[in-house]
């Protein structure tokens, strides 16, 4: 089996190995500690694991009444896989964000007027949920500490709940989070954009496989190279203009270019942060690719949960592509020419 080398806080190297499929998943217990700086903030609310367990119902597939994998089971499964793979490391409890609440009623309250409903008459669940937790004993310093981060996204709007139970879709990732601002740094080998599984055991095994294929040393090296390249203010303005223009290009022309998923509002936020952000702004100065990368991932915090990870990965692709264009690679040269 292949080994994954990771650099821990004490400078030693640890090795994680792909584990055999297990039938049971250990329960994660909630901690009272709360964070104030979140990896995603707009359009979401913070909840804890206990709220998901006690206050939310679990949707079913309507044609056979088979239960879906719940948000809390998803979180606990990934957390347990991380504890298995990174055995001996310290692993934090998850930061959980939700959106798009779906409200309902118990059968006995179907005919009650809204103003007469009791709390016990109501049901609810969240259509979209994202969670993230850190491994604080594994980090690398790149102009501010970056921590190993693990998490996932569940969006019931991507499931056909009106059918019989089939494979269920999840997004999972492992990468680094900038401790200065909690921006997510995701690479291709640390992200599964559509993980399809039938049950918790399949999910556990698939997450372990992703951990095993992720190369943190390669990811760290990529981010470190961003410190050594710089955009002039003219090139940065050219980049912003081309990113705005990208959305309006004819479809055939756009397909010949690398993908760019950021919205106009997010591009505007990049421009504003370039001028005013205390950590990553560089108004009237050259802009390092590391700062550009964090301007992109910072603007991504306004995304909805179900598009957040795809755009986070795209921020890595754009930053890396522009960095290579500065050294003669033609693929992304259109954005700064």
């Amino acid at each position: 089996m292949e080994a994954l080398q990771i650099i821990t806080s004490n400078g030693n190297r640890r090795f994680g190995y792909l584990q055999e499929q297990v039938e049971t998943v250990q329960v994660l217990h909630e901690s009272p500690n709360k964070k104030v700086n979140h990896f995603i903030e707009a359009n979401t609310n913070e909840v804890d694991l206990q709220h998901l367990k006690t206050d939310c119902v679990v949707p079913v597939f309507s044609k056979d009444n088979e239960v879906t994998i719940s948000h809390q089971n998803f979180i606990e499964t990934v957390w347990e896989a991380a504890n298995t793979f990174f055995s001996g490391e310290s692993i934090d409890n998850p930061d959980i964000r939700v959106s798009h609440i779906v409200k309902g009623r118990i059968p006995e309250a179907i005919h009650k007027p809204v103003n007469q409903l009791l709390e016990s008459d109501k049901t609810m669940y969240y259509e979209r949920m994202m969670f993230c937790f850190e491994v604080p004993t594994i980090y690398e310093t790149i102009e501010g500490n970056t921590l190993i981060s693990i998490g996932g996204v569940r969006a019931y709007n991507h499931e056909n709940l009106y059918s019989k139970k089939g494979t269920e879709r999840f997004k999972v990732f492992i990468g680094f989070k900038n401790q200065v601002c909690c921006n997510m740094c995701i690479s291709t080998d640390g992200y599964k954009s559509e993980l399809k599984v039938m049950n918790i055991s399949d999910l556990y095994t698939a997450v372990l496989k992703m951990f095993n294929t992720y190369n943190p040393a390669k990811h760290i090296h990529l981010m470190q190279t961003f410190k050594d390249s710089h955009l002039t203010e003219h090139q940065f303005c050219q980049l912003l203009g081309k990113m705005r223009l990208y959305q309006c290009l004819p479809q055939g022309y756009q397909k010949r270019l690398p993908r760019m998923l950021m919205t106009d509002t997010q591009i505007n936020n990049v421009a504003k942060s370039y001028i005013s952000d205390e950590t990553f702004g560089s108004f009237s100065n050259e802009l390092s690719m590391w700062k550009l990368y964090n301007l992109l991932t910072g603007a991504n915090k306004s995304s909805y949960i179900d598009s957040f990870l795809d755009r986070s990965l795209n921020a890595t692709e754009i930053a890396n592509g522009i960095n290579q264009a500065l050294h003669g690679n033609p693929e992304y040269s259109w954005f700064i020419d």
Side-chain angles (χ1 to χ4, degrees), residues 53-316:
K53 290 181 177 180
T54 59
D55 300 330
C56 299
V57 297
V58 180
V60 298
F61 291 94
S62 61
K63 286 193 175 180
D64 54 13
N65 207 33
E66 286 285 342
V67 69
T68 61
I69 297 174
S70 68
H71 291 331
Q72 55 266 32
N73 284 343
F74 176 32
I75 296 168
E76 289 173 343
T77 300
V78 176
W79 192 86
E80 176 59 22
N83 274 272
T84 301
F85 193 82
F86 297 106
S87 177
E89 301 293 343
S90 173
I91 298 180
D92 289 346
N93 285 318
D95 184 8
I96 305 169
R97 309 289 294 185
V98 294
S99 69
H100 296 76
I101 186 172
V102 180
K103 298 180 180 180
R105 303 182 181 193
I106 62 174
E108 293 78 9
I110 288 177
H111 300 294
K112 279 189 178 183
V114 174
N115 59 3
Q116 295 180 17
L117 286 175
L118 304 175
E119 287 302 316
S120 58
D121 296 330
K122 302 174 184 178
T123 66
M124 59 173 287
Y125 69 89
Y126 298 100
E127 184 184 80
R128 304 175 195 183
M129 182 277 303
M130 182 175 180
F131 71 95
C132 178
F133 56 83
E134 282 74 58
V135 185
T137 51
I138 307 175
Y139 66 91
E140 178 70 21
T141 299
I142 307 176
E143 295 191 5
N145 291 330
T146 56
L147 303 175
I148 276 282
S149 294
I150 297 166
V153 163
R154 182 68 193 278
Y156 283 122
N157 59 306
H158 292 171
E159 305 288 350
N160 183 7
L161 297 179
Y162 299 101
S163 68
K164 293 183 179 180
K165 179 177 174 60
T167 57
E168 299 183 48
R169 297 174 177 85
F170 300 86
K171 298 176 186 284
V172 292
F173 71 91
I174 178 172
F176 283 88
K177 188 166 76 174
N178 191 329
Q179 201 171 17
V180 173
C181 53
C182 290
N183 290 356
M184 296 301 310
C185 308
I186 299 175
S187 65
T188 304
D189 63 351
Y191 176 41
K192 295 294 183 183
S193 62
E194 192 174 58
L195 183 60
K196 296 182 179 181
V197 298
M198 288 293 295
N199 51 52
I200 290 175
S201 293
D202 292 345
L203 177 62
Y204 182 89
T205 302
V207 172
L208 283 175
K209 287 181 179 178
M210 183 188 69
F211 291 164
N212 193 60
T213 56
Y214 174 61
N215 187 337
K218 180 180 178 181
H219 192 185
I220 290 169
H221 175 72
L222 172 65
M223 292 189 293
Q224 286 176 329
T225 62
F226 292 163
K227 298 187 302 178
D228 302 325
S229 298
H230 295 78
L231 287 171
T232 65
E233 187 172 47
H234 176 78
Q235 288 173 319
F236 175 70
C237 293
Q238 186 81 355
L239 172 62
L240 291 180
K242 288 295 185 71
M243 290 173 74
R244 290 291 300 272
L245 183 63
Y246 180 92
Q247 306 289 1
C248 304
L249 292 173
Q251 188 174 16
Y253 193 100
Q254 192 179 99
K255 285 184 177 180
R256 295 197 294 270
L257 297 171
R259 68 173 187 163
M260 199 285 298
L261 302 181
M262 299 192 71
T263 66
D264 284 350
T265 299
Q266 291 170 335
I267 296 169
N268 289 342
N269 289 337
V270 170
K272 292 176 183 177
S273 297
Y274 169 74
I275 295 173
S276 59
D277 189 281
E278 294 182 359
T279 305
F280 303 114
S282 296
F283 183 46
S284 298
N285 294 298
E286 287 191 335
L287 179 71
S288 73
M289 293 306 304
W290 173 248
K291 288 186 176 182
L292 172 65
Y293 182 38
N294 279 278
L295 293 180
L296 296 174
T297 53
N300 184 44
K301 288 184 179 182
S302 65
S303 294
Y304 284 115
I305 285 175
D306 57 346
S307 60
F308 178 84
L309 290 178
D310 290 317
R311 287 180 179 155
S312 183
L313 175 61
N314 188 231
T316 302

Side-chain angles (χ1 to χ4, degrees), residues 19-32:
Q19 306 295 317
E20 297 296 329
Q21 177 172 327
V22 299
E23 297 299 325
T24 59
V25 176
Q26 188 177 13
V27 175
L28 168 64
H29 298 285
E30 190 67 20
S31 167

